[in-house]
C-alpha cells in the first residue's frame, strides 16, 4: 500500500511540476513581449484606458501581478473600438496618457491588438520558448517526494564529482540561451553573435535532454577512472581553455565596452569555455585521488 501511495504522490508531484513549468513558459513568453511581437501590422492607432484592475498571482496574464485594462481605441482612419490589454501593456496612468497600438494579422487566420511599446526582451522570450515547453512536457526529476526510481539517487553526488563535463550541460545551456536572448535587444558586438549564442544554447540543452533520458533509463553510472596520461591531457586542455576563454571575453569587453547586453551575448561562449576549462582542472585531481586510494577530493562539485 505504501508503495502505491508513494507512486501516486510522485505522479501528482510531476503533474504539478509540468503545470508550473507550462505557466512559467507562458509568463516568460508574454512578459518578455514576444507574444505581442508576432504578426504583420496592418493598422495603427492610440488607446486610452477606461477601466483597470490588478490581477494575480495566477491568471490569464500568467504568474505574478499585472494590470489588465479595458481601453477605447481610436484608429488612424477615424474608426473606434474597445479592447482589453493584459500583461500591464496599459496601466491606470494611461487613462490620460494615450498609448500607441497596432492591429496585427497573425498567419492570415486571426489578429490581435497590441500596445506598440519597446520590447527589448522579446528575443529572450522566443529563445526560451522551446526549452520551457520541453520542461513542461518532460518534467523535472526531483528527489522529493520519493520517486519509484529513488535508488538512482544513491551515490549521485560522488558520481557527479568525477564527471568531466556533464554537470555543466544544463547550466551552460540555460546561460547561453538567456545571454543570447538578452543580446538581441542591443547592437551586436560581433556580427551574428546573439544568434550563434542562441543556437549553441539550444544545442547544449538538446545534449542535456539526451543525457537526462539516458540517466532515467540507466541511472547515474560511475565513470571509469582516467589514466595518468589522460589526466595530464585534461589539465593541459583545461588550462588552454581557460586562457582562450579569458582572452576571448576580454576582447569582447574591449570591443563592446558600454554595450553591456551586446557584450553579454558575445562573451557567453568564451565564458562557457572558461567554465569548461575550470571543470577539467577540478576533476583531474579528483580522479588522481580516487586512483591512488587517498580519497582526496574537494567537498563540492
Amino acid at each position: 500500500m505504501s508503495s502505491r501511495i508513494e507512486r501516486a504522490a510522485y505522479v501528482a508531484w510531476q503533474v504539478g511540476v509540468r503545470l508550473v513549468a507550462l505557466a512559467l513558459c507562458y509568463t516568460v513568453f508574454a512578459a518578455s513581449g514576444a507574444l505581442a511581437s508576432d504578426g504583420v501590422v496592418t493598422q495603427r492607432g492610440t488607446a486610452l484606458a477606461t477601466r483597470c484592475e490588478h490581477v494575480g498571482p495566477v491568471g490569464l496574464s500568467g504568474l505574478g501581478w499585472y494590470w489588465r485594462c479595458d481601453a477605447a481605441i481610436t484608429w488612424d482612419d477615424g474608426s473606434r473600438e474597445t479592447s482589453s490589454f493584459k500583461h500591464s501593456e496599459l496601466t491606470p496612468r494611461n487613462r490620460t496618457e494615450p498609448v500607441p497600438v497596432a492591429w496585427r494579422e497573425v498567419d492570415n487566420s486571426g489578429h490581435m491588438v497590441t500596445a506598440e511599446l519597446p520590447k527589448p526582451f522579446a528575443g529572450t522570450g522566443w529563445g526560451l520558448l522551446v526549452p520551457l515547453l520541453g520542461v513542461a512536457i518532460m518534467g523535472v526529476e526531483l528527489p522529493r517526494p520519493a520517486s519509484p526510481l529513488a535508488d538512482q539517487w544513491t551515490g549521485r553526488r560522488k558520481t557527479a564529482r568525477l564527471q568531466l563535463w556533464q554537470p555543466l550541460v544544463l547550466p551552460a545551456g540555460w546561460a547561453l540561451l538567456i545571454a543570447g536572448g538578452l543580446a538581441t535587444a542591443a547592437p551586436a558586438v560581433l556580427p551574428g553573435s546573439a544568434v550563434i549564442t542562441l543556437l549553441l544554447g539550444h544545442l547544449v540543452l538538446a545534449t542535456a535532454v539526451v543525457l537526462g533520458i539516458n540517466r532515467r533509463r540507466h541511472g547515474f553510472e560511475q565513470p571509469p577512472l582516467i589514466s595518468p596520461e589522460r589526466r595530464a591531457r585534461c589539465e593541459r586542455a583545461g588550462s588552454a581553455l581557460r586562457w582562450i576563454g579569458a582572452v576571448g571575453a576580454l576582447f569582447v569587453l574591449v570591443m563592446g565596452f558600454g554595450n553591456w547586453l551586446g557584450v553579454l551575448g558575445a562573451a557567453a561562449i568564451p565564458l562557457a569555455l572558461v567554465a569548461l576549462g575550470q571543470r577539467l582542472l577540478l576533476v583531474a585531481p579528483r580522479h588522481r585521488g580516487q586512483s591512488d586510494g587517498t580519497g582526496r577530493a574537494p567537498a563540492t562539485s
Side-chain angles (χ1 to χ4, degrees), residues 35-213:
L35 187 63
S37 65
D38 195 18
V40 178
V41 176
T42 58
Q43 193 171 193
R44 297 185 186 275
T46 57
L48 281 173
T50 56
R51 185 179 69 87
C52 293
E53 61 177 342
H54 217 197
V55 296
V58 179
L60 295 178
S61 295
L63 303 177
W65 295 92
Y66 301 89
W67 287 106
R68 180 188 179 280
C69 294
D70 296 329
I73 301 174
T74 303
W75 296 108
D76 290 346
D77 62 5
S79 59
R80 298 173 181 269
E81 70 170 282
T82 59
S83 184
S84 296
F85 294 84
K86 300 177 291 185
H87 320 301
S88 295
E89 286 188 298
L90 271 66
T91 65
R93 72 177 184 179
N94 297 122
R95 291 190 177 100
T96 56
E97 297 180 15
V99 173
V101 296
W103 179 292
R104 292 178 176 269
E105 297 289 344
V106 183
D107 296 332
N108 298 319
S109 59
H111 74 277
M112 59 181 175
V113 179
T114 62
E116 288 296 272
L117 301 172
K119 302 176 180 67
F121 304 117
T124 305
W126 283 108
L128 293 176
L129 175 61
V130 172
L132 288 175
L133 279 177
V135 173
I137 293 171
M138 295 186 63
V140 179
E141 188 71 20
L142 297 172
R144 291 292 183 270
S147 163
L149 306 176
D151 59 318
Q152 292 185 6
W153 294 88
T154 303
R156 176 183 177 182
R157 185 173 181 80
K158 180 180 179 181
T159 300
R161 291 175 61 250
L162 295 177
Q163 298 287 343
L164 288 178
W165 59 275
Q166 289 91 330
L168 282 176
V169 178
L170 272 176
W174 285 109
L176 288 169
L177 278 183
I178 294 173
L182 292 174
T184 61
V189 175
L190 298 173
S193 58
V195 174
I196 293 173
T197 302
L198 280 170
L199 291 176
L200 184 60
H202 281 104
L203 178 62
V204 173
L205 282 185
T207 303
V209 170
V210 174
L211 289 173
I213 293 174

